[in-house]
Amino acid sequence: MRTLTPEPGDVDLTERYAYPPGTTWMRANMVASLDGAAQRDERSGGLGNAADQHLFLLLRGLADVVIVGAGTVRAEGYGPVRPSEGWDGVRDGRPPVPPLAIVSRTLDLDFDAPVFAEAEVPTIVLAPATADPVRLKAAREHADVIVAGEDSLDFPAAVRELAARGHRRLLCEGGPGVLAQVVAAGLLDELCLTLSPLLLGGHPTRILNGPPVPVPPELTLAHALQDEEFLFLRYVRSR
């Protein structure tokens, strides 16, 4: 056991969080309290600080596509991804913003909402083949739809289709149900976890909300950064 001594001065976050070149890479970005809560007042935003928000936006800028569940879109009031300060140079040669890819089994989505109507690049919807045909038709009128799987989304097939469209640097923002599916499918390459210095108690949702993972993936600590009393941990999958 050893201490993690903070290095003096700021770090280059763009360099620290650069995607590995030449591969399809699934990164997740989550926040949790010290006792494991992934939400405060049913929203993840109540756990972070300014540095967490800055990293949240930077990770979006580095990504080719941002994957998020429909429940999180509704609960967090998602709009489309917007250009952000600190993106200088990180999107050279790519569209100005990454599209959102919304995971939805029922397609219970408001297709007139800004997340669709005001998106600079078309929002993507990931849905299974059993989605309601009327809702599926409406989705295709307002979004770029990828159908994969029957009763539930086939995440590996959806990721292959995203990669075929040039979206190889993937960022999963959850929620916990979607991240649980990503992990269960063996797709998670990296977890960026902000550890918030709060103890909330109760029976909150954790960053994974799903059945036990039969073969838990082993992760290696790539770095640990600090801002105020927050820790910013980056783990990568052991190969």
Side-chain angles (χ1 to χ4, degrees), residues 14-106:
T14 301
E15 178 182 320
R16 286 292 188 106
Y17 287 94
Y19 280 84
T23 187
T24 299
W25 189 266
M26 175 72 78
R27 164 184 286 163
N29 183 34
M30 303 294 285
V31 60
S33 68
L34 292 178
D35 56 333
Q39 297 173 339
R40 184 182 186 186
D41 299 328
E42 300 184 351
R43 299 186 65 172
S44 62
L47 292 170
N49 68 349
D52 177 63
Q53 180 65 15
H54 175 75
L55 181 59
F56 173 87
L57 295 173
L58 175 63
L59 294 185
R60 283 183 159 197
L62 294 171
D64 293 330
V65 64
V66 178
I67 300 170
V68 63
T72 298
V73 168
R74 291 188 290 267
E76 303 276 352
Y78 263 59
V81 179
R82 308 284 191 191
S84 174
E85 292 184 11
W87 282 16
D88 293 344
V90 303
R91 299 203 60 79
D92 288 350
R94 295 188 289 166
V97 296
L100 283 179
I102 301 174
V103 179
S104 180
R105 183 176 59 84
T106 64

Side-chain angles (χ1 to χ4, degrees), residues 193-233:
L193 177 64
T194 298
L195 197 56
S196 176
L198 296 174
L199 293 169
L200 299 181
H203 302 281
T205 299
R206 299 185 300 169
I207 66 168
L208 294 188
N209 185 16
V213 181
V215 182
E218 294 185 7
L219 303 176
T220 299
L221 181 63
H223 71 227
L225 307 177
Q226 180 181 359
D227 180 82
E228 298 176 338
E229 304 309 318
F230 288 74
L231 287 179
F232 298 85
L233 308 176

